[in-house]
Amino acid sequence: EMSDICRIAEEQLWNAAVLMHIYRDKKRNLYVMLDDDDDGEDDAAAEQQRLESSSSVWRPAVYALLAYQGFMIIAYGEKMLLPEMQKTQCIIDWHNLHISRKAKKIAKTGRYSLSVNRAFDQGIA
């Protein structure tokens, strides 16, 4: 339902207080990205137009920032992409990370490696 979709602007993705509110929100997890020229109209027609044009704000830098902050991009309806903050998936808690015995066994073979904060631009491109 559209009333469950929250608006968010790119600059808010840098705001720790906004992000903490998003992370703690147990009810809402879908967001629509606002264009820089969004006029903030709240009527139903303006909201529908905003949702339908939300894919226009997708630039590589925005997509990378959303991914960095923990959002997953999903298809919504037939022609929209929306950032989704999954509450149980896509979040790595490094301090409480569980690595299964099978994963440890595979890691010992040396065939695979895990790196953090390396070649980010190549991974997103």
Side-chain angles (χ1 to χ4, degrees):
E1 186 174 316
M2 289 196 316
S3 63
D4 293 333
I5 299 174
C6 302
R7 300 176 198 162
I8 190 166
E10 182 178 349
E11 62 269 6
Q12 291 175 302
L13 295 171
W14 294 102
N15 185 311
V18 170
L19 289 169
M20 195 53 63
H21 175 76
I22 290 170
Y23 298 152
R24 292 179 177 163
D25 189 340
K26 302 292 185 203
K27 294 182 181 180
R28 295 176 291 183
N29 63 332
L30 290 175
Y31 295 83
V32 62
M33 293 299 298
L34 298 178
D35 286 318
D36 292 338
D37 60 349
D38 191 290
D39 59 11
E41 289 183 47
D42 285 331
D43 66 19
E47 186 67 17
Q48 183 63 35
Q49 176 63 31
R50 184 178 293 116
L51 283 171
E52 290 177 359
S53 68
S54 68
S55 294
S56 68
V57 300
W58 296 109
R59 299 181 317 279
V62 173
Y63 185 88
L65 178 57
L66 285 163
Y68 180 80
Q69 299 297 14
F71 289 89
M72 192 173 172
I73 310 309
I74 64 161
Y76 184 83
E78 294 181 16
K79 53 184 173 177
M80 290 181 278
L81 294 174
L82 295 180
E84 179 182 31
M85 178 54 67
Q86 299 219 340
K87 303 304 178 181
T88 59
Q89 301 168 335
C90 301
I91 298 173
I92 298 175
D93 182 356
W94 294 106
H95 300 291
N96 296 309
L97 184 64
H98 171 75
I99 301 172
S100 70
R101 277 184 257 145
K102 185 175 181 177
K104 287 178 184 177
K105 186 177 178 180
I106 291 170
K108 287 181 183 179
T109 67
R111 291 179 55 202
Y112 303 98
S113 66
L114 171 67
S115 61
V116 179
N117 292 335
R118 292 184 154 194
F120 188 75
D121 292 332
Q122 291 87 349
I124 293 296

